[in-house]
Amino acid sequence: MPDGYLIPAETVTTEIVIRKSRFLTTIQLAPTVAEARHRLAELRSRLPAANHHVYAFRVGFGNSVTEGMSDDGEPTGTAGPPTLAVLRGSGIGDILLVTARFFDGTKLGAGGLVRAYTESAQEALRKLKTERKVDRKTVGLEMPYSLYNIVRRMIDAHNGMIEDEEFGAEILVIARFVTNDLNCFAIELRERTAGAVLPVDLD
């Protein structure tokens, strides 16, 4: 995943009305399955009057994606699967989409429900702004005090972010890098310190 993948850059909510039923769709960022379920619970609590809270999520991307969905009381296969199908075709990861349906007595039929939930998801995605998530790695760097300033400058030069430092007999630096930047950093680090300091993968 050298170039990362697209993720929601914001929360977006859209609404469509089909034969007196309101379909209120919300898209949110969900970087973990636990976060997706937490955000779903929040949406349910905010919209208790909705008859159904149909959802689908995709956490991760490509070969490491985890998916979930639910018809939430709609006829089997008419709500969750078409919603997930739209997400799969979007090219977006770490995404939760929830459609709250407010039913007004007019039945749509199985085909009508599939079209309604598909249209609801598509409309929300059209309004969604995205950004690119870049794969990052966390590494530990143990070094003598004499190399600390050199390593700090190299971390800055390779766009690394220092997350923690411990000063004992030697210095331990915890830093986070974009994966591509880390590869270049590791090569230069080995050369500049004659192999005395090597990054240890902490992920």
Side-chain angles (χ1 to χ4, degrees):
M1 191 178 58
D3 297 321
Y5 56 90
L6 293 178
I7 60 175
E10 60 182 5
T11 296
V12 66
T13 300
T14 59
E15 180 178 343
I16 64 173
V17 178
I18 299 176
R19 295 176 63 184
K20 298 184 180 181
S21 275
R22 291 174 57 219
F23 293 83
L24 192 67
T25 298
T26 301
I27 294 178
Q28 292 181 298
L29 176 68
T32 65
V33 172
E35 185 68 16
R37 299 198 183 283
H38 174 70
R39 293 184 181 276
L40 172 62
E42 285 186 333
L43 284 168
R44 286 182 186 275
S45 67
R46 288 210 306 268
L47 299 170
N51 300 90
H52 307 278
H53 296 86
V54 170
Y55 72 86
F57 64 78
R58 303 188 82 234
V59 173
F61 193 75
N63 294 329
S64 60
V65 68
T66 301
E67 298 179 333
M69 66 178 179
S70 173
D71 291 311
D72 194 40
E74 295 282 29
T76 302
T78 62
T83 298
L84 181 58
V86 173
L87 291 189
R88 284 174 174 167
S90 71
I92 302 172
D94 295 352
I95 185 171
L96 167 69
L97 188 152
V98 182
T99 297
R101 181 190 180 192
F102 298 83
F103 181 54
D104 195 38
T106 303
K107 294 185 177 181
L108 301 181
L113 286 172
V114 170
R115 287 190 294 273
Y117 281 104
T118 298
E119 183 181 339
S120 298
Q122 290 172 336
E123 175 64 16
L125 282 171
R126 276 194 289 270
K127 301 288 178 64
L128 179 69
K129 292 180 181 178
T130 59
E131 61 187 10
R132 189 161 292 278
K133 178 177 180 176
V134 180
D135 190 26
R136 296 180 183 272
K137 286 189 176 295
T138 302
V139 296
L141 303 156
E142 193 171 28
M143 70 203 73
Y145 281 76
S146 60
L147 293 176
Y148 175 68
N149 288 333
I150 293 172
V151 174
R152 278 294 303 259
R153 286 195 293 270
M154 290 179 58
I155 291 171
D156 290 340
H158 290 275
N159 305 309
M161 297 179 293
I162 292 178
E163 297 191 340
D164 194 17
E165 294 179 320
E166 294 181 10
F167 296 86
E170 291 198 315
I171 300 173
L172 174 63
V173 176
I174 308 298
R176 193 163 177 81
F177 292 85
V178 172
T179 300
N180 284 353
D181 291 338
L182 175 60
N183 295 336
C184 297
F185 169 77
I187 292 170
E188 185 178 341
L189 181 68
R190 189 179 299 110
E191 293 174 352
R192 294 282 299 278
T193 67
V197 184
L198 297 173
V200 176
D201 189 348
L202 299 181
D203 291 325

